[in-house]
Amino acid sequence: MFKRFKKTSTLAAALLGVTLMAQSVPAHAEQVYVAKEGDTFYKLSQRYDIDLETLMNANKNISPYNIYEGLKLTLPTKSSESSSSNNAVTASLSVDSSNKVVEAWGKTFNYSETLNVKATAYSSDPAENGGYGAVDYFGNPLELGTIAVDPSVIPLGTKVLVTGHSHDNLPDQAFVATATDIGGAIKGNKIDIFIPGSKSSVAKFGIQDVKLYIIE
């Protein structure tokens, strides 16, 4: 949403255009699935009627917090599904403040502190990235999980669990992000969340109050 600082060094980044072709395949046919904008493991498990735990086990090398357009995922066959569906991971959020532990998407994180911030969002559109392309402050490609911060409040490199947000292209309930970007309008208790998608779709995020858990 906010145009960010000009990078301190010259950064070069090439955007790869991904053309997705729709295929008519039966649900549960073992296949390589090319992720679309807004996909999450939870949404795919619902769409293809696949046990969520089974789907995540078939894609162990892929972080559930970093599913982006063009990423290749494996949709397992029905016969390979786990019989223990009661252990399926759901989009829940549980906090044990006395022990400083937060659980999201079936994973447990220890946190040192929490921070309430105002959040905006930005896309890969050049107008929102200082003309340097879809890269963060360090020159890394922008991806789901990139956030811009005020380094005096949240040091660059800090990992956080973002909660309380709402947008179709973000994981429900919570997602892990790393502070690897800065922004001209990001001062104090504010963050700017990179969201894959068009500038217009990302703009629907608006300004939201979110809670961050500083995780280890």
Side-chain angles (χ1 to χ4, degrees):
M1 180 175 182
F2 293 109
K3 186 173 181 180
R4 300 178 292 130
F5 278 134
K6 182 176 181 180
K7 304 298 185 295
T8 55
S9 60
T10 302
L11 305 174
L15 297 176
L16 298 177
V18 179
T19 303
L20 303 180
M21 299 187 65
Q23 298 181 353
S24 177
V25 295
H28 297 312
E30 191 162 22
Q31 60 170 312
V32 173
Y33 172 83
V34 180
K36 297 179 176 60
E37 183 179 301
D39 278 343
T40 65
F41 280 134
Y42 178 75
K43 290 179 181 179
L44 290 174
S45 71
Q46 296 296 302
R47 185 186 310 161
Y48 291 100
D49 190 25
I50 300 174
D51 176 70
L52 181 54
E53 184 177 26
T54 302
L55 179 60
M56 294 180 71
N57 284 337
N59 298 276
K60 290 182 177 180
N61 295 327
I62 296 175
S63 168
Y65 312 108
N66 190 28
I67 297 176
Y68 51 87
E69 184 173 0
L71 181 67
K72 293 182 179 180
L73 304 170
T74 298
L75 297 187
T77 61
K78 190 168 185 178
S79 60
S80 66
E81 291 184 16
S82 170
S83 59
S84 56
S85 58
N86 291 334
N87 295 325
V89 180
T90 58
S92 62
L93 182 67
S94 176
V95 181
D96 180 356
S97 57
S98 61
N99 292 310
K100 289 196 171 182
V101 172
V102 57
E103 181 179 333
W105 290 97
K107 292 191 174 184
T108 301
F109 304 91
N110 296 315
Y111 68 92
S112 57
E113 60 180 303
T114 62
L115 190 63
N116 294 313
V117 300
K118 293 285 185 182
T120 52
Y122 65 106
S123 69
S124 58
D125 189 282
E128 297 184 296
N129 293 278
Y132 283 88
V135 293
D136 65 16
Y137 180 76
F138 299 100
N140 302 311
L142 295 176
E143 60 183 12
L144 184 62
T146 299
I147 58 172
V149 299
D150 179 347
S152 68
V153 177
I154 303 175
L156 288 171
T158 301
K159 284 192 175 183
V160 301
L161 186 70
V162 183
T163 69
H165 57 280
S166 177
H167 193 278
D168 288 343
N169 292 356
L170 290 175
D172 296 332
Q173 297 285 347
F175 68 96
V176 173
T178 306
T180 58
D181 216 350
I182 59 177
I186 310 304
K187 298 296 183 183
N189 283 29
K190 294 182 179 180
I191 65 169
D192 210 9
I193 301 172
F194 171 73
I195 301 179
S198 65
K199 182 179 178 182
S200 60
S201 68
V202 172
K204 294 177 182 178
F205 184 92
I207 301 176
Q208 298 183 21
D209 293 311
V210 303
K211 186 172 186 176
L212 305 181
Y213 292 82
I214 311 301
I215 59 177
E216 299 173 0

